[in-house]
Amino acid sequence: MSQQLDNNQQPFNPMKLLMSEEWLRKVVESEDKVKGNIGAGLDWGDAFGKLMLNPELLGRLTALRISLNREIRLLLSDWNLGSATDSAVKTARSLLLEKLKSPTLLVQEKISAVLHTDELFGEEFISNHDVLQELISTMLEQEDWKTISRTAGDFLSAEIMSKATSQKILL
């Protein structure tokens, strides 16, 4: 679905909205008013409401999300996937975001433990690779890694076929 935009109008970005502290506060307030989940926020149940009441923890959650994105990029780049790296990283980041939006109880507990570890949050992002990789290994299950692998493989396959066709190797 494509919408025509005039020159001054920016396209709507729901992910930007999701990460907006002001928007998230309004969502929680709306859910509190109806005394239930209206599906507008992250699916953390009662724990998310408590998180929203603590702006420092909410800021740490944002730093954690950025750090996880950085760590998965570093991890996959080290695996020498070549031109399929970007595809694998994009898929992995999408899966991590899904896990952050609707974490299992185990993932929620691990995230909470990280968010409450003060020494991890002295910089713009978390630099402790061991903590981040442990969290990634908890968040991404075998099926998620298979999805990442398939996406990277499909990208590489399409790239090879395209080059073979363009260089007239494949007739």
Side-chain angles (χ1 to χ4, degrees):
M1 172 170 82
S2 174
Q3 293 179 350
Q4 200 89 19
L5 300 174
D6 60 63
N7 291 338
N8 298 331
Q9 190 178 10
Q10 294 293 319
F12 176 69
N13 183 345
M15 293 315 300
K16 224 178 195 180
L17 187 61
L18 179 63
M19 293 302 142
S20 162
E21 185 175 331
E22 179 183 339
W23 181 80
L24 289 172
R25 269 196 219 295
K26 288 178 183 178
V27 166
V28 170
E29 288 172 8
S30 299
E31 290 180 345
D32 286 346
K33 284 180 187 175
V34 297
K35 294 183 175 46
N37 183 354
I38 59 173
L42 301 176
D43 187 15
W44 280 46
D46 294 337
F48 190 70
K50 292 175 188 167
L51 180 64
M52 286 300 301
L53 295 175
N54 187 331
E56 181 182 357
L57 284 181
L58 187 60
R60 286 181 175 194
L61 179 61
T62 301
L64 176 60
R65 182 184 57 80
I66 291 166
S67 300
L68 286 168
N69 283 341
R70 180 178 174 270
E71 189 65 29
I72 199 71
R73 180 182 48 81
L74 292 172
L75 183 67
L76 292 173
S77 293
D78 284 348
W79 291 356
N80 294 323
L81 302 176
S83 61
T85 301
D86 288 344
S87 177
V89 168
K90 183 177 178 181
T91 301
R93 285 178 172 175
S94 174
L95 290 167
L96 285 172
L97 183 58
E98 283 179 31
K99 305 293 180 165
L100 283 172
K101 285 181 181 179
S102 298
T104 63
L105 187 55
L106 176 63
V107 170
Q108 192 175 351
E109 288 171 359
K110 296 271 187 178
I111 289 171
S112 182
V114 169
L115 293 177
H116 287 89
T117 305
D118 293 338
E119 58 269 10
L120 294 175
F121 293 94
E123 301 174 21
E124 174 181 1
F125 53 83
I126 299 171
S127 58
N128 187 321
H129 299 287
D130 293 335
V131 168
L132 293 169
Q133 288 180 12
E134 181 182 338
L135 189 52
I136 287 170
S137 71
T138 302
M139 294 173 75
L140 297 179
E141 299 168 345
Q142 184 174 358
E143 197 57 41
D144 298 318
W145 288 108
K146 286 180 181 178
T147 300
I148 294 165
S149 173
R150 276 191 302 271
T151 302
D154 290 348
F155 176 86
L156 195 53
S157 176
E159 187 173 278
I160 289 170
M161 295 306 294
S162 173
K163 289 191 185 291
T165 302
S166 69
Q167 293 180 7
K168 299 185 185 193
I169 296 171
L170 177 69
L171 299 176

